[in-house]
Amino acid sequence: MLDVNTARRQMIEQQVRAWEVLDLKVLAAMERVPREEFTPPAYRDLAFADMSVPLGHGQSMLAPKLEGRILQALELQPDDAVLEIGTGSGYFAACLGALARAVKSIEIHPDLAASARASSTAPTSTM
């Protein structure tokens, strides 16, 4: 059985930091948000892989290193409010929420929106 905490730390150290994501707030947010809970069940084994993960409708979760770079580039402050267009899995919105005061995320595909909403309230589980 995969130890998700170890896998998440390795993702951060070997992929995200290696892409010069050095903002400690971003790294902490990515460590706190359970990426595996936002990954479609068929792809959960790839939650921490250095690749994009298909979501359906031609959408995908970005590779963790790209998400980290974007989060770092945004330079979010704790009192910021964020509008995200394209919720996808909801993982990026959850990371935004760990860094900002408020996040509003809009998704055009009802099934992706419902899945993201369910993932954001799901208890953390092990793989």
Side-chain angles (χ1 to χ4, degrees), residues 8 11 30-40 44 46-49 51-53 61-65 67 89 91-92:
R8 187 177 301 110
M11 172 193 78
M30 292 183 79
E31 187 160 355
R32 269 193 324 273
V33 176
R35 184 177 170 86
E36 69 280 3
E37 294 295 331
F38 293 90
T39 306
R44 287 250 163 98
L46 302 174
F48 305 110
M51 61 180 288
S52 61
V53 175
M61 293 177 75
L62 295 174
K65 62 189 178 191
E67 291 167 323
S89 72
Y91 174 73
F92 196 75

Side-chain angles (χ1 to χ4, degrees), residues 38-122:
F38 293 90
T39 306
Y43 297 100
R44 287 250 163 98
D45 313 11
L46 302 174
F48 305 110
D50 185 14
M51 61 180 288
S52 61
V53 175
L55 298 174
H57 306 286
Q59 308 297 314
S60 62
M61 293 177 75
L62 295 174
K65 62 189 178 191
L66 293 174
E67 291 167 323
R69 279 299 269 291
I70 295 167
L71 289 167
Q72 179 172 268
L74 290 171
E75 297 180 359
L76 293 172
Q77 299 304 310
D79 61 335
D80 286 342
V82 179
L83 172 62
E84 177 192 40
I85 307 297
T87 306
S89 72
Y91 174 73
F92 196 75
C95 288
L96 291 168
L99 296 167
R101 173 182 52 83
V103 175
K104 175 74 172 179
S105 188
I106 299 170
E107 175 57 57
I108 192 170
H109 301 290
D111 59 325
L112 290 180
S115 178
R117 201 173 300 109
S119 295
S120 69
T121 59

